[in-house]
């Protein structure tokens, strides 16, 4: 029932609280702490009333002095336990034994013992650590009280008619109330434990969401950097090596490659600004999808000199779809440049009833899909999966590679009032106008 210095508490403890006085400050529940403080004050008032009643109603003599001594012993032990709950001398069970013996002695020497019995009955529930202990001490107090009354009255009609019946009724009511209060406190403790567990679970869930969000953001940034800056830097390295090798033999070719390096660097700069700014309305792949892809293919042909054929439809699709398809094309062409050793590349952009398809095919050396190193293919798959699409790679060693990106059609951006779907909108330049990257290059 009470958590004292020995730390006894458990599933049947009375809320794990300390009763009264300074000990009540340990309670976690302010309501219960206030209730116990009020009960403590009432208990002291009742003890004072018992002293006054005993001194005024009993004739001076040995029995009255004995009753006063027993009452004083009970009150002194209660005061010591109340003010110093962690003292090593008087423990809760020791006080209950003193109370049992004091009630029996009071019933023998004092006719008004019933008042003390009623006042102290709650103490068996407040200081007993378990329900079983509280019931045991209540039973011992009942037997002790009846035994003392029997020794004073004998087997008289008064003993059977009033003392025995009234004592049993009071004890039964005390037990019922004690069990009910214990059940209420136990349920309150269980609710408090469940609330605490729920709060801890919510904190852990929030932390897990935060970590998951941070991990997803890191993965997104890594994919964006790989698809933009890393590819651009790789292109700059390849072009710089080629320009240096041809500087003495083919100055015109080297100059063209230097212009490509400058153009790629400007594109990387613009991409970096997009990433740093976290612009919600990205200008990448703005406007016509076919026009954006065609400019990328022109740059690839100019830089590599490979033969390239393209069939580009111009589907109307959402900005995220355009960006995803552009990144897939850039990654596929980068893989062709770095790994395929191909002589011919074919690109097909088509709109199907179920979505948009981008197919990139080369006649290079091929590879084993499961053994492909790097981040590119996995990044493309994840980017397409975010839009409900998928990536299919068909290849074998020596037979070239076919990369097919499929994206379901998402709702396109709303067309401004006064424009038809075929007209250019404010989201990007028309196919014949320079893109933001080209405008920056000219500047």
């Amino acid at each position: 029932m009470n958590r004292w210095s020995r730390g006894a508490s458990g599933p049947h403890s009375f809320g794990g609280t300390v009763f009264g006085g300074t000990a009540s400050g340990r309670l976690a529940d302010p309501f219960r702490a206030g209730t116990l403080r009020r009960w403590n004050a009432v208990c002291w008032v009742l003890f004072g009333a018992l002293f006054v009643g005993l001194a005024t109603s009993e004739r001076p003599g040995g029995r009255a002095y004995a009753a006063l001594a027993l009452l004083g012993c009970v009150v002194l032990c209660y005061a010591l336990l109340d003010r110093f709950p962690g003292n090593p001398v008087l423990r809760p069970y020791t006080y209950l034994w003193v109370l049992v013996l004091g009630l029996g002695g009071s019933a023998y020497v004092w006719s008004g013992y019933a008042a003390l019995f009623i006042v102290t009955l709650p103490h068996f529930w407040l200081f007993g650590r378990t329900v079983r202990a509280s019931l045991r001490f209540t039973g011992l107090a009942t037997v002790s009280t009846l035994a003392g009354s029997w020794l004073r009255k004998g087997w008289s009609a008064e003993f059977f008619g009033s003392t025995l019946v009234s004592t049993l009724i009071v004890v039964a009511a005390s037990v019922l109330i004690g069990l009910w209060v214990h059940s209420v406190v136990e349920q309150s403790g269980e609710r408090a434990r469940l609330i605490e567990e729920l709060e801890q679970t919510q904190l852990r869930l929030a932390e897990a969401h935060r970590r998951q969000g941070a991990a997803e953001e890191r993965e997104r940034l890594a994919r964006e950097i790989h698809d933009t800056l890393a590819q651009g830097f790789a292109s700059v390295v390849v072009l710089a090596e080629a320009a240096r090798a041809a500087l003495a033999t083919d100055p015109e070719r080297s100059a063209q490659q230097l212009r490509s390096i400058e153009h790629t660097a400007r594109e990387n700069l613009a991409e970096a600004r997009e990433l740093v700014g976290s612009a919600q309305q990205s200008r990448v792949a703005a406007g016509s999808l076919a026009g954006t892809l065609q400019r990328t293919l022109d740059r690839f042909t100019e830089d590599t000199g490979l033969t390239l054929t393209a069939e580009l439809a111009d589907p109307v699709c959402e900005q995220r779809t355009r960006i995803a398809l552009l990144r897939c094309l850039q990654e596929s062409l980068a893989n062709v440049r770095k790994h395929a050793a191909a002589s011919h590349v074919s690109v097909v952009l088509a709109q199907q009833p179920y979505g948009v398809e981008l197919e990139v095919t080369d006649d290079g050396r091929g590879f084993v899909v499961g053994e492909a190193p790097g981040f590119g293919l996995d990044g493309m798959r994840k980017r397409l999966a975010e839009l409900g699409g998928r990536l299919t790679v068909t290849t074998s060693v020596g037979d070239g590679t076919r990369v097919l990106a499929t994206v379901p059609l998402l709702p396109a951006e709303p067309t401004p009032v006064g424009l038809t779907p075929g007209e250019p909108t404010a989201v990007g330049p028309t196919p014949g106008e320079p893109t933001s990257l080209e405008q920056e290059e000219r500047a």
Side-chain angles (χ1 to χ4, degrees), residues 140-414:
L140 290 174
T142 303
V143 172
S144 175
T145 302
L146 291 176
S149 180
W150 173 76
L151 290 176
R152 184 166 57 87
K153 298 179 180 180
W155 300 106
S156 63
E158 181 184 0
F159 174 76
F160 284 103
S162 61
T163 302
L164 180 62
V165 174
S166 61
T167 300
L168 292 178
I169 291 175
V170 169
V171 170
S174 171
V175 169
L176 292 176
I177 293 174
L179 291 174
W180 175 74
V181 171
H182 172 268
S183 174
V184 170
V185 172
E186 192 175 49
Q187 291 176 5
S188 176
E190 180 66 15
R191 285 195 296 270
R193 184 186 64 81
L194 293 176
I195 291 174
E196 183 179 0
E197 289 182 356
L198 178 61
E199 291 175 349
Q200 294 296 325
T201 301
Q202 289 175 337
L203 289 176
R204 289 193 295 269
L205 184 60
E207 178 63 19
H209 282 313
R210 188 192 65 80
R211 289 196 299 267
Q212 181 181 3
E216 290 176 352
E217 181 63 15
R218 285 195 298 270
E219 183 178 352
R220 186 191 69 82
L221 288 176
R223 186 170 62 239
E224 292 292 340
I225 291 172
H226 175 273
D227 291 347
T228 58
L229 302 182
Q231 296 293 356
F233 289 135
S235 178
V236 166
V237 170
V238 173
L239 290 171
E241 291 176 347
R244 184 178 57 184
L247 187 60
T249 59
D250 193 352
E252 184 178 350
R253 177 64 176 171
S254 297
Q256 189 274 326
Q257 289 169 338
L258 288 175
R259 286 193 298 270
S260 295
I261 291 174
E262 180 184 1
H263 189 80
T264 302
R266 290 183 182 277
E267 287 182 344
N268 268 21
L269 179 60
E271 294 286 359
R273 287 172 178 171
E274 292 281 354
L275 291 175
V276 172
S278 299
Q280 295 181 355
Q281 296 296 331
S282 175
R283 293 177 295 177
V284 177
S288 168
L289 176 59
T292 301
L293 299 188
Q294 185 60 58
R295 287 189 292 272
T296 302
L297 295 176
D298 293 342
R299 286 286 313 282
F300 175 78
T301 304
E302 181 181 348
D303 293 342
T304 62
L306 296 180
T307 302
L308 188 145
T309 58
E311 297 179 13
L312 303 179
D314 197 6
V316 178
C317 52
E318 195 258 349
Q319 172 78 344
R320 291 183 302 163
T321 301
R322 295 197 295 268
I323 293 176
L325 293 174
L326 173 61
R327 298 307 185 205
C328 289
L329 177 62
Q330 291 173 335
E331 176 64 27
S332 299
L333 295 179
N335 290 335
V336 171
R337 173 185 294 180
K338 290 185 293 186
H339 308 297
S343 60
H344 182 268
V345 180
S346 173
V347 178
V348 177
L349 175 66
Q351 182 168 346
Q352 304 294 346
Y354 50 82
V356 181
E357 283 187 352
L358 174 66
E359 181 185 51
V360 181
T361 307
D362 68 75
D363 59 355
R365 61 168 61 102
F367 62 96
V368 178
V369 177
E371 299 177 359
F375 185 78
L377 292 178
D378 186 58
M380 284 194 286
R381 288 192 180 93
K382 291 181 178 179
R383 186 184 290 275
L384 294 173
E386 291 175 358
L387 302 175
R390 63 178 181 176
L391 181 74
T392 304
V393 180
T394 305
T395 183
S396 61
V397 178
D399 290 334
T401 302
R402 174 179 176 268
V403 176
L404 178 64
T406 305
V407 184
L409 281 176
L410 299 176
E413 290 88 345

Side-chain angles (χ1 to χ4, degrees), residues 27-100:
L27 290 171
D29 189 344
F31 174 77
R32 281 190 289 169
T35 301
L36 289 178
R37 282 195 298 270
R38 288 191 291 271
W39 163 250
N40 188 40
V42 170
C43 192
W44 282 112
V45 171
L46 295 177
F47 277 143
L50 288 176
F51 272 108
V52 173
L54 178 58
T56 57
S57 63
E58 296 293 329
R59 296 178 180 178
R63 286 183 175 270
Y65 297 146
L68 284 172
L70 290 172
L71 179 59
C73 181
V74 170
V75 172
L76 179 62
C77 291
Y78 175 76
L80 180 62
L81 194 60
D82 170 45
R83 301 306 301 175
F84 306 100
N87 75 88
V89 178
L90 185 65
R91 312 304 302 156
Y93 281 4
T94 305
Y95 166 71
L96 294 182
W97 278 112
V98 171
L99 187 56
V100 167

